[in-house]
Amino acid sequence: MALKNISERVLSLIKEMTLEEKLGQMTQIEKNSIPPEDVKTYMLGSVLSGGGANPVPNTPVLWREMVESYQKAALDTRLGIPLIYGSDAVHGHNNVCHATIFPHNNALGMTGDSNLARKVGRATALECVATGVRWNFAPAVSVPQDLRWGRSYEGYGQQTEVVSEFATAFIEGLKGTAWDDETSVLPSVKHFIADGAATWGSSQRIDRKALEFDKTLAASNLGEEFAHLVEEGAWSIDQGISEIDEEELRRVHLPPYQAAIDAGALNMMASYSSWDGIKMHAQKYLMTDVLKGEMGFDGFIVTDYEAINQVDADYYKAVVMCINAGIDMNMVPYDYKGFIATLKKAVENNDVTMERIDDAVARILNAKEKLGLFETPLTDPALLAKVGCREHRELAREVVRKSQVLLKNNDVLPISKETTIAVAGKAAHDIGYQCGGWTITWMGAPGNITTGTTLLEGINDALGKEVNYSETADFSERAELGIVVIAEEPYAEGMGDKSSLHISAQDRALIAKTKNNCDKILVLLLSGRPMIVTDEIDSWDAFIASWLPGTEGQGVADVLFGEFDFQGRLSYNWPKTMEQDSFIWNIGDGLNIKETV
Ligand code: GLC
């Protein structure tokens, strides 16, 4: 599918480039796997930080120095083609300590206001560019079907048109005034396609008995600490098989990609999942005939992390199949020498044609050129002041406030500031629980992991005093209102696949213990998805779905005391049971305070 409107610069570069230089452009390497000088030796086109691949110590300044070291090596090559550095900034520049961490996409969708997504995209772009990152592996345009999927929170909602609207807005935010503006960031629209439609139990990612990742992957041992998660269902659906027909694939999962193309997106990331018996990375019909042909996508397709290795145990065959299917850049991300040698051999054997190589390189260089990288490969250090700045934190606080969904209120909210309050739960005072996965580390983690304000601090600030707080609901005096914060343990990807979405026995016990000490109970749930509360909800006086609010926890307090009314509405159905075929609340549900008192 050769490109049409290619610039003179790109055409002449392709004429001048050696095969090694072309293959280097098609290679993306993980920053922990390469010294900057090898970027020059192998003329690599891109470096990435996977989840948690941070400089030590993890500061915005050291991020910038790290990224610049790779860019300078690339600029020092024979042709000086600029490199593009990629990172997952899926809810703010989330790998970077002190960056603003926004609520995850599902919460953005609950605000019902895609203009907020545009603003979040712009703020995220500024914090990325401050550190030299010009490629963001976002937005996910998943339309999650089964909430047991650990990536449900990466979707804006379960309605295709909502996903299209919010993804378009976020992409426009990443773009800013123009793609070649030096503060624009290339979006990676992911994961093509129908990643949210996999069937439970169809994932082949790990060997559940041996507790090992797929043997073709370098990092094949899960480690004992994950054994209990595997028992709870980890890696049961993520990267599985989307057992839907083409009509449903086109109706439900394709429109957000068309919307992204219409918004000018120049990169897509292929999905680990499979459709029609073929791994998406080898799906020539969908990647080349449909996406590049029928839909006119003239950007480039990047693999997911080490995804080619999953396609076939014979690496040579896997590389040939994926590149010929339409993959243009390989997120290798470790053995770049092995990939380049393999693809070179495939070209020499004519198993991959020079026409396909030139098409891939043209797509990559076209995107770099549209981003203005040839003119401004290095970014303005003054932008460092934007990382975690007050303006961005205020925006994040607004998104938190507007994403809170009030689902029950028996005369509890708005809470009078005279009410005696007791707050319970370790998650009430924990930035890590608020942020969830993809925060500082790949999986995220509880604890004081970065700069921010906890829910408890927000409540104390709103009241101008410290309320009674106990992680374990051990209170010495009664209170009129108990606020119990329960949370999912942070997770990302398949690690968050769960066979049961019931709230935990520990959380039920915490609520009961708090109830012994309070006249009324308000439950706040920090989660990446709706959880099953059918049997418990009747004994609660009020219930708020807070999702994963990020670093600005005071946005929750903003709606507790009547400063602002609730506006969040569900963008996901809320299942009654694990069958997920009947719901206690539906898309669009959510209360305002005045509707309830
Ligand atoms: C991960 C994810 C993808 C992410 C990429 C780079 O495995 O599937 O969403 O962008 O690798 O971190």
Side-chain angles (χ1 to χ4, degrees):
M1 200 65 56
L3 278 179
K4 295 175 286 292
N5 50 354
I6 291 295
S7 73
E8 270 315 305
R9 168 173 29 204
V10 170
L11 287 173
S12 63
L13 268 174
I14 288 179
K15 283 199 188 79
E16 204 180 343
M17 289 167 82
T18 64
L19 177 59
E20 286 72 13
E21 286 167 331
K22 292 175 181 177
L23 302 186
Q25 284 301 310
M26 297 171 69
T27 304
Q28 181 181 55
I29 193 69
E30 217 279 336
K31 73 104 189 162
N32 288 324
S33 309
I34 185 167
E37 55 272 17
D38 265 15
V39 166
K40 177 177 178 183
T41 309
Y42 290 85
M43 302 155 286
L44 301 186
S46 179
V47 177
L48 85 139
S49 278
N54 307 321
V56 180
N58 180 356
T59 68
V61 170
L62 285 180
W63 257 86
R64 184 181 173 81
E65 286 174 12
M66 169 182 80
V67 174
E68 280 203 350
S69 67
Y70 293 109
Q71 185 62 288
K72 285 173 178 166
L75 296 173
D76 197 24
T77 54
R78 179 176 80 93
L79 294 170
I81 296 173
L83 161 144
I84 185 163
Y85 197 101
S87 187
D88 297 273
V90 296
H91 63 140
H93 197 2
N94 45 253
N95 280 324
V96 179
C97 239
H98 317 306
T100 310
I101 305 296
F102 294 92
H104 274 288
N105 285 353
N106 64 336
L108 257 178
M110 310 284 178
T111 67
D113 178 358
S114 56
N115 195 39
L116 285 174
R118 185 173 290 104
K119 292 177 181 175
V120 170
R122 187 78 308 254
T124 302
L126 289 172
E127 299 199 20
C128 284
V129 174
T131 62
V133 172
R134 297 291 306 277
W135 185 7
N136 181 1
F137 303 130
V141 294
S142 321
V143 187
Q145 305 296 301
D146 184 328
L147 296 178
R148 290 174 289 184
W149 187 35
R151 306 198 76 161
S152 296
Y153 63 74
E154 296 186 60
Y156 293 106
Q158 293 182 301
Q159 293 172 310
T160 300
E161 56 278 13
V162 168
V163 174
S164 297
E165 178 191 346
F166 276 75
T168 298
F170 184 77
I171 289 166
E172 288 169 352
L174 289 181
K175 171 185 171 184
T177 51
W179 285 120
D180 63 0
D181 180 282
E182 63 176 295
T183 68
S184 73
V185 169
L186 180 73
S188 188
V189 187
K190 68 184 188 180
H191 307 79
F192 188 83
I193 185 173
D195 55 344
T199 304
W200 180 264
S202 66
S203 177
Q204 297 109 357
R205 180 68 196 265
I206 65 169
D207 172 333
R208 309 191 75 78
K209 294 256 180 314
L211 276 186
E212 284 202 344
F213 274 117
D214 175 315
K215 286 240 183 306
T216 62
L217 300 181
S220 68
N221 65 320
L222 264 164
E224 265 316 300
E225 72 274 21
F226 293 122
H228 72 284
L229 290 178
V230 173
E231 278 157 35
E232 289 171 8
W235 304 104
S236 292
I237 185 170
D238 188 36
Q239 310 186 13
I241 299 167
S242 303
E243 291 164 342
I244 56 175
D245 62 20
E246 184 164 350
E247 184 282 328
E248 183 175 344
L249 183 138
R250 285 177 173 268
R251 174 170 46 83
V252 175
H253 304 279
L254 200 60
Y257 290 93
Q258 186 59 62
I261 291 169
D262 297 345
L266 286 171
N267 175 250
M268 306 278 180
M269 185 183 294
S271 174
Y272 284 117
S273 55
S274 307
W275 180 73
D276 197 23
I278 301 172
K279 290 287 277 184
M280 273 310 306
H281 279 72
Q283 254 290 353
K284 181 165 187 176
Y285 168 64
L286 290 177
M287 288 199 292
T288 296
D289 303 346
V290 174
L291 182 62
K292 292 180 175 179
E294 187 185 314
M295 297 167 72
F297 177 58
D298 58 10
F300 69 98
I301 303 175
V302 67
T303 71
D304 203 334
Y305 201 93
E306 207 178 21
I308 285 186
N309 305 52
Q310 293 182 8
V311 170
D312 194 294
D314 177 330
Y315 187 63
Y316 180 88
K317 274 175 65 180
V319 168
V320 168
M321 284 161 70
C322 294
I323 300 298
N324 285 340
I327 292 291
D328 301 300
M329 183 185 282
N330 182 13
M331 186 188 292
V332 182
Y334 308 115
D335 182 11
Y336 50 103
K337 296 173 187 171
F339 168 65
I340 290 170
T342 303
L343 186 50
K344 185 176 180 185
K345 188 174 151 206
V347 172
E348 286 160 356
N349 296 345
N350 204 30
D351 288 332
V352 173
T353 64
M354 265 320 290
E355 184 196 8
R356 177 72 270 273
I357 297 295
D358 287 348
D359 174 50
V361 174
R363 289 170 180 272
I364 293 164
L365 297 185
N366 178 50
K368 289 182 173 183
E369 183 177 57
K370 290 279 191 315
L371 214 63
L373 279 175
F374 286 93
E375 288 70 35
T376 51
L378 299 170
T379 64
D380 180 359
L383 286 170
L384 279 168
K386 292 290 186 185
V387 180
C389 68
R390 180 169 179 69
E391 180 194 352
H392 292 174
R393 290 184 188 278
E394 282 306 311
L395 171 61
R397 178 175 183 168
E398 179 186 359
V399 177
V400 173
R401 181 174 78 236
K402 293 180 174 177
S403 60
Q404 300 301 296
V405 181
L406 178 59
L407 292 165
K408 181 175 182 181
N409 184 27
N410 285 352
D411 198 16
V412 170
L413 295 142
I415 304 169
S416 154
K417 294 194 174 181
E418 313 314 314
T419 305
T420 56
I421 293 171
V423 176
K426 58 187 175 182
H429 194 38
D430 187 301
I431 294 286
Y433 277 115
Q434 285 173 208
C435 292
W438 293 107
T439 313
I440 311 303
T441 59
W442 181 31
M443 290 292 141
N448 193 19
I449 60 172
T450 188
T451 313
T453 308
T454 65
L455 272 61
L456 177 68
E457 288 166 342
I459 291 170
N460 290 341
D461 289 350
L463 294 173
K465 64 182 180 189
E466 296 219 339
V467 294
N468 228 345
Y469 170 60
S470 165
E471 278 189 23
T472 52
D474 289 303
F475 299 106
S476 52
E477 52 201 54
R478 276 195 75 74
E480 291 165 298
L481 177 65
I483 300 178
V484 193
V485 182
I486 60 176
E488 283 194 286
E489 293 297 318
Y491 56 80
E493 302 193 35
M495 230 36 121
D497 292 353
K498 270 190 192 135
S499 46
S500 166
L501 295 178
H502 288 274
I503 59 173
S504 68
Q506 294 88 336
D507 284 340
R508 290 201 299 275
L510 180 72
I511 294 167
K513 189 174 177 185
T514 308
K515 202 171 168 61
N516 290 337
N517 188 68
C518 302
D519 303 340
K520 288 199 168 190
I521 287 286
L522 159 63
V523 175
L524 285 176
L525 172 63
L526 296 182
S527 67
R529 55 198 149 189
M531 307 279 294
I532 308 282
V533 296
T534 313
D535 298 338
E536 293 83 10
I537 188 74
D538 291 347
S539 65
W540 302 347
D541 300 290
F543 175 48
I544 297 169
S546 292
W547 314 114
L548 297 170
T551 50
E552 308 313 307
Q554 68 275 46
V556 177
D558 288 342
V559 287
L560 293 182
F561 301 98
E563 174 116 14
F564 294 90
D565 200 344
F566 287 81
Q567 80 172 54
R569 293 292 179 272
L570 292 179
S571 62
Y572 285 72
N573 289 312
W574 196 294
K576 185 178 288 184
T577 68
M578 278 314 300
E579 278 55 56
Q580 299 185 58
D581 55 0
S582 59
F583 308 104
I584 54 174
W585 296 291
N586 293 291
I587 288 171
D589 282 349
L591 300 170
N592 297 107
I593 293 177
K594 56 179 175 297
E595 286 169 338
T596 61
V597 291

